[in-house]
């Protein structure tokens, strides 16, 4: 039944232009980061690692949170419109599967976005003349960023579930991205849901290992994902979301 729910969401999104944001928006931080790197070669001397810090500075705290806010808000907006919740909640489907199907759709876009971000990073490095080998940590950066991004998506889906407005959850996503920067600076980014993506991608210190360790990072992410799934399921069960 969960697979049917995922397919139903895919059909709803098939002709939607919202996925274009995931195609075009990452180009902007890649361009800004590359220009910033190229204009500060005297200070940014660690080649690929320095370029990564410039790319992720704009991506993790501004553009990806906005993209996720838009996508998650749109996913829930489809159900808020035309009393679609009434139809969904009368189906013989557990409420957690309804929420998880939305999360699966958002997670797929995050995976594709991270791959696209990685491709833009490599292309940018070649364009500015970096000939040294690619950082061996790149796959880890993208994988951990994906898992942290899924946490943010789960949070945004829950927010978009309880707030019917389209724009307000997007604003909350942007505020969350900025607050994630503060959390990282204060030293608790490894336990704050809106900083886990940047923390996993090592946006500020790409050459360092995760302070909490990979296993701890995965566990924290899974706990947050499970928490928001439970909260979303309970909201659907207990609340009148017509």
């Amino acid at each position: 039944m969960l697979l049917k729910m995922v397919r139903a969401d895919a059909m709803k999104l098939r002709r939607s232009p919202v996925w274009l944001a995931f195609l075009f928006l990452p180009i902007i931080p890649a361009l800004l980061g590359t220009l910033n790197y190229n204009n500060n070669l005297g200070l940014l001397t660690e080649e690929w690692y320095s370029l990564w810090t410039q790319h992720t500075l704009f991506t993790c705290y501004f553009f990806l949170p906005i993209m996720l806010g838009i996508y998650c808000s749109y996913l829930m907006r489809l159900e808020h419109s035309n009393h679609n919740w009434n139809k969904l909640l009368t189906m013989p489907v557990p409420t957690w599967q309804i929420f998880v199907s939305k999360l699966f759709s958002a997670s797929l876009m995050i995976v594709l976005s991270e791959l696209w971000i990685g491709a833009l990073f490599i292309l940018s490095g070649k364009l500015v003349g970096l000939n040294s080998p690619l950082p061996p940590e790149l796959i880890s950066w993208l994988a951990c960023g994906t898992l942290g991004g899924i946490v943010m998506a789960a949070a945004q889906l829950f927010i978009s579930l309880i707030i019917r407005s389209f724009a307000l959850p997007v604003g909350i996503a942007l505020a969350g991205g900025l607050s994630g920067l503060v959390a990282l600076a204060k030293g608790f980014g490894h336990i704050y849901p809106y900083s886990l993506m940047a923390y996993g991608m090592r946006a500020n210190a790409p050459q360092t290992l995760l302070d909490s360790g990979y296993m701890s990072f995965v566990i924290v992410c899974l706990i947050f994902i499970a928490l928001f799934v439970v909260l979303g399921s309970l909201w659907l069960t207990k609340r009148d979301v017509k």
Side-chain angles (χ1 to χ4, degrees), residues 6-242:
V6 171
R7 289 176 177 171
D9 282 332
M11 291 179 63
K12 295 175 185 178
L13 295 166
R14 185 172 298 170
R15 296 185 180 180
S16 169
V18 72
W19 62 270
L20 291 174
F22 287 83
L23 179 62
F24 291 108
L25 280 182
I27 297 175
I28 301 175
L31 179 61
L32 293 174
T34 302
L35 291 174
N36 198 46
Y37 169 80
N38 209 40
N39 290 332
N40 293 278
L41 293 176
L43 298 174
L44 304 172
T45 60
E46 295 181 337
E47 296 193 336
W48 288 107
Y49 294 98
S50 294
L51 180 62
W52 183 254
T53 62
Q54 301 310 298
H55 275 222
T56 53
L57 172 65
F58 295 103
T59 299
C60 292
Y61 304 117
F62 299 98
F63 288 92
L64 264 182
I66 291 174
M67 287 161 50
L68 285 175
I70 292 172
Y71 194 71
C72 293
S73 189
Y74 185 81
L75 280 171
M76 289 303 183
R77 184 67 177 175
L78 291 173
E79 313 307 343
H80 288 317
S81 303
N82 301 318
H83 303 288
N84 283 345
W85 282 121
N86 289 343
K87 303 172 186 176
L88 272 180
L89 295 177
T90 55
M91 295 174 61
V93 179
T95 53
W96 69 266
Q97 291 191 10
I98 297 175
F99 192 90
V100 169
S101 69
K102 307 290 185 186
L103 183 58
F104 181 87
S105 298
S107 299
L108 178 59
M109 295 307 300
I110 294 170
V111 171
L112 296 176
S113 294
E114 290 286 343
L115 292 174
W116 182 221
I117 288 168
L120 289 170
F121 171 66
I122 295 172
L123 176 61
S124 299
K126 296 302 180 181
L127 288 176
V128 297
L130 297 182
N131 296 316
S132 57
L134 287 170
E137 304 94 339
L138 179 59
I139 294 176
S140 169
W141 296 339
L142 297 176
C144 292
T146 298
L147 187 56
I150 293 173
V151 173
M152 189 182 295
Q156 282 301 130
L157 284 171
F158 177 65
I159 291 171
S160 296
L161 174 63
I162 63 178
I163 299 177
R164 293 174 178 264
S165 166
F166 180 88
L168 183 55
V170 178
I172 293 174
L174 176 58
L178 295 174
S179 66
L181 176 61
V182 176
L184 282 170
K186 295 296 184 180
F188 58 92
H190 61 292
I191 56 172
Y192 183 63
Y194 280 91
S195 61
L196 287 171
M197 180 173 61
Y199 179 72
M201 295 176 76
R202 265 81 91 209
N204 298 330
Q207 288 176 292
T208 63
L209 298 175
L210 293 179
D211 295 335
S212 59
Y214 286 102
M215 185 56 65
S216 296
F217 174 77
V218 172
I219 291 173
V220 169
C221 288
L222 293 179
I223 289 174
F224 272 119
I225 292 170
L227 173 64
F228 288 116
V229 169
V230 170
L231 290 175
S233 302
L234 289 175
W235 184 271
L236 288 172
T237 302
K238 303 296 184 181
R239 291 281 183 168
D240 179 8
V241 287
K242 298 178 182 179

